[in-house]
């Protein structure tokens, strides 16, 4: 005989049967007392829970067998009779499956009195039958003193099985009551990378769905993932492409060069600078996750040329290359000519920064030939041949 780890509780009940036979002249009374011993066996952890049937059924063959493929024979307990049937068990949580047997008993003119101890009363309350995920089918039909296990359905819930004791018509947990929680997927199977937003999938329970989206700064796409029974997510990975900048926010203005800011995608940066003939500090811009450039445009001003000191101070020159002491800007043109009282062709100048390109005009003072002083006794010979400013 194979040895199993079980605990057995023995309960003794006494049945008294009195048979009465009557004739016309005499009465014979026969009294018989029968003692019946009932044993309760606690299933081994992990084994198939025996079928929960009435006292007329013998389920002793169903203890100590493990799924899948467990088979046991259920028969009628004397004085009941009937054809035995076979039960099968493929899952600990579901227990044995089968029907019957049909057990009957025949009684003639007799009176049967059964005495049951208080601890053998049927437990009808105390099971957490309404809680999600709890499988307490193995605890149905338990009598006083019997124990059973209530656990969690294996597919979508998790939690340790809890032992219950039938006492005073109420099933009571030996320790803490059974508690089942929905299994969740931990993140395995989801796409990984900065372009994926997986927040919707946090805490997703088995059998439920969540959405993986492309992060801000990427073309808007999403994909559905399912949390499977093995704790892994399953779904199609969305293709997340960086969002291209639309051109809105492109720096503009006189002398601004922003060619390096063209063709950017989200989160990229560029520099806007001043053109060669302009002065100004470059600025940095960024393409945001909304596809718009953000940042300031550089302040660009035409470069100024320094007018030669001689043109500004010597009297023979006249020039429009500076206005109120401020020279014209880079690339602009001006004329330097001879001042009044001097003659000579003017010269065109151009500001190429930092100086002007052009020749100084050759200016010669004009001779004074008119308005010489005349009159009796006046000698103006010294003024003959004079020139401007002399």
């Amino acid at each position: 005989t194979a040895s199993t780890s079980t605990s057995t509780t023995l309960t003794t009940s006494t049945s008294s049967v009195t048979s009465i036979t009557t004739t016309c002249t005499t009465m014979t009374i026969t009294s018989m007392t029968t003692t019946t011993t009932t044993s309760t066996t606690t299933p081994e952890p992990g084994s198939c829970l025996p079928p929960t049937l009435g006292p007329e059924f013998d389920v002793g063959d169903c203890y100590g067998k493990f799924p899948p493929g467990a088979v046991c024979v259920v028969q009628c307990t004397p004085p009941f009779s009937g054809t035995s049937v076979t039960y099968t068990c493929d899952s600990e949580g579901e227990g044995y499956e089968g029907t019957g047997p049909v057990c009957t008993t025949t009684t003639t003119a007799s009176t049967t009195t059964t005495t049951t101890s208080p601890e053998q009363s049927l437990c009808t309350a105390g099971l957490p039958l309404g809680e999600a995920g709890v499988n307490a089918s193995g605890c149905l039909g338990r009598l006083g003193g019997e124990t059973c296990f209530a656990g969690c359905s294996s597919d979508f819930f998790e939690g340790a099985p809890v032992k219950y004791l039938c006492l005073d018509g109420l099933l009571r947990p030996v320790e803490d009551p059974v508690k089942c929680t929905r299994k969740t997927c931990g993140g395995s199977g989801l796409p990984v990378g900065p372009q994926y937003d997986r927040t919707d999938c946090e805490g997703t329970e088995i059998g439920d769905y969540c959405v993986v989206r492309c992060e801000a700064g990427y073309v808007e796409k999403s994909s559905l993932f399912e949390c499977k029974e093995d704790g892994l997510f399953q779904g199609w990975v969305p293709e997340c492409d960086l969002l291209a900048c639309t051109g809105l926010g492109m720096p503009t203005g006189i002398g601004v060069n922003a060619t390096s800011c063209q063709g950017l995608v989200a989160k990229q940066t560029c520099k806007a600078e001043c053109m060669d003939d302009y002065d100004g500090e470059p600025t940095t811009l960024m393409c945001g996750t909304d596809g718009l450039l953000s940042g300031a445009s550089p302040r660009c001003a035409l470069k100024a040329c320094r007018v030669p000191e001689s043109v500004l101070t010597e009297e023979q020159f006249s020039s429009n290359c500076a206005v109120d002491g401020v020279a014209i800007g880079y690339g602009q043109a001006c004329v330097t000519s001879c001042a009044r009282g001097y003659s000579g062709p003017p010269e065109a100048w151009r500001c190429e920064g930092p100086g002007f390109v052009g020749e100084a005009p050759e200016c010669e003072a004009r001779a004074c030939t008119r308005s010489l002083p005349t009159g009796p006794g006046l000698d103006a010979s010294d003024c003959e041949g004079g020139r401007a400013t002399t």
Side-chain angles (χ1 to χ4, degrees), residues 340-355:
R340 184 177 180 183
Y342 293 85
S343 62
E347 295 287 346
W349 286 13
R350 183 178 179 83
C351 176
E352 296 291 347

Side-chain angles (χ1 to χ4, degrees), residues 6-387:
T6 60
S7 60
T8 302
T9 303
L10 295 180
T11 304
T12 301
S13 64
T14 303
S15 298
S16 176
V17 179
T18 302
S19 177
I20 302 175
T21 303
T22 305
T23 64
C24 293
T25 57
T26 62
M27 176 181 292
T28 302
I29 301 176
T30 304
S31 178
M32 180 178 64
T33 301
T34 303
T35 301
T36 303
T37 301
T38 303
S39 65
T40 301
T41 304
T42 301
E44 294 182 60
S47 65
C48 293
L49 296 176
T52 303
L53 303 173
E56 66 269 29
F57 302 100
D58 180 4
V59 296
D61 186 50
C62 298
Y63 285 86
K65 297 185 178 181
F66 295 83
V71 178
C72 71
V73 176
V74 178
Q75 53 190 352
C76 298
T77 304
F80 295 91
S81 62
T83 303
S84 60
V85 297
T86 299
Y87 278 62
T88 59
C89 173
D90 291 317
S91 170
E92 176 191 355
E94 296 179 359
Y96 283 96
E97 293 183 357
T99 305
V102 178
C103 298
T104 61
T105 182
T106 302
T107 305
T108 59
S110 62
T111 301
T112 302
T113 304
T114 303
T115 304
T116 304
S117 61
E119 65 179 12
Q120 289 182 302
S121 58
L122 182 67
C123 279
T124 58
L127 285 177
L129 298 177
E131 296 186 14
V134 174
N135 180 8
S137 60
C139 290
L140 298 176
R142 293 298 174 182
L143 299 175
E146 293 183 335
T147 59
C148 62
F149 282 87
C152 302
S153 350
S154 57
D155 292 341
F156 300 104
F157 293 85
E158 58 187 354
V162 174
K163 187 177 182 179
Y164 279 75
L165 171 65
C166 178
L167 185 63
D168 298 331
L170 183 67
L171 279 162
R172 309 169 189 271
V174 175
E175 295 180 352
D176 293 331
V178 62
K179 185 176 182 180
C180 301
T181 57
R182 287 282 296 270
K183 295 178 182 178
T184 60
C185 287
S188 297
L190 292 177
V192 178
Q195 66 269 43
Y196 302 113
D197 178 5
R198 314 190 313 173
T199 54
D200 187 57
C201 294
E202 295 176 0
T204 301
E205 298 175 341
I206 288 179
D208 288 343
Y209 294 82
C210 65
V211 177
V212 174
R213 297 178 173 84
C214 294
E215 278 281 10
Y218 294 82
V219 177
E220 187 174 343
K221 292 181 182 178
S222 62
S223 183
L224 198 65
F225 279 76
E226 181 184 4
C227 178
K228 306 294 287 185
E229 294 179 15
D230 57 3
L232 302 178
F233 281 102
Q234 188 176 85
W236 296 100
V237 178
E239 295 182 2
C240 298
D241 299 318
L242 283 166
L243 192 66
C245 269
T246 62
L248 295 177
M250 186 73 70
T252 57
I254 297 176
V256 175
N257 178 10
T259 55
S260 66
C261 294
Q262 297 174 356
L264 294 184
V265 294
K267 302 180 182 179
Q268 286 185 330
T269 59
C270 65
K271 278 192 176 182
E273 302 173 317
C274 294
M275 296 179 183
D276 290 341
D277 28 352
Y278 288 81
D279 281 326
E281 294 296 325
T283 59
T284 300
L285 296 94
M286 172 177 278
C287 179
T289 56
D290 55 0
L292 302 179
L293 276 171
S294 61
S297 296
R299 295 182 178 180
C300 301
L302 279 169
K303 292 179 180 179
C305 285
R306 187 173 58 190
V307 180
E309 189 69 22
S310 60
V311 174
L312 296 175
T313 59
E314 294 182 14
E315 63 181 17
Q316 71 267 35
F317 298 118
S318 175
S319 176
N320 63 355
C321 294
V323 178
D324 295 330
V326 179
I328 61 174
Y330 186 87
Q332 293 181 324
C334 60
V335 175
T336 299
S337 57
C338 295
R340 184 177 180 183
Y342 293 85
S343 62
E347 295 287 346
W349 286 13
R350 183 178 179 83
C351 176
E352 296 291 347
F356 284 93
V357 175
E359 298 292 334
E362 295 181 1
C363 299
E364 183 178 355
R366 293 179 179 177
C368 291
T369 58
R370 294 182 300 173
S371 302
L372 288 175
T374 58
L378 181 63
D379 181 6
S381 59
D382 187 56
C383 294
E384 293 178 358
R387 295 184 177 275

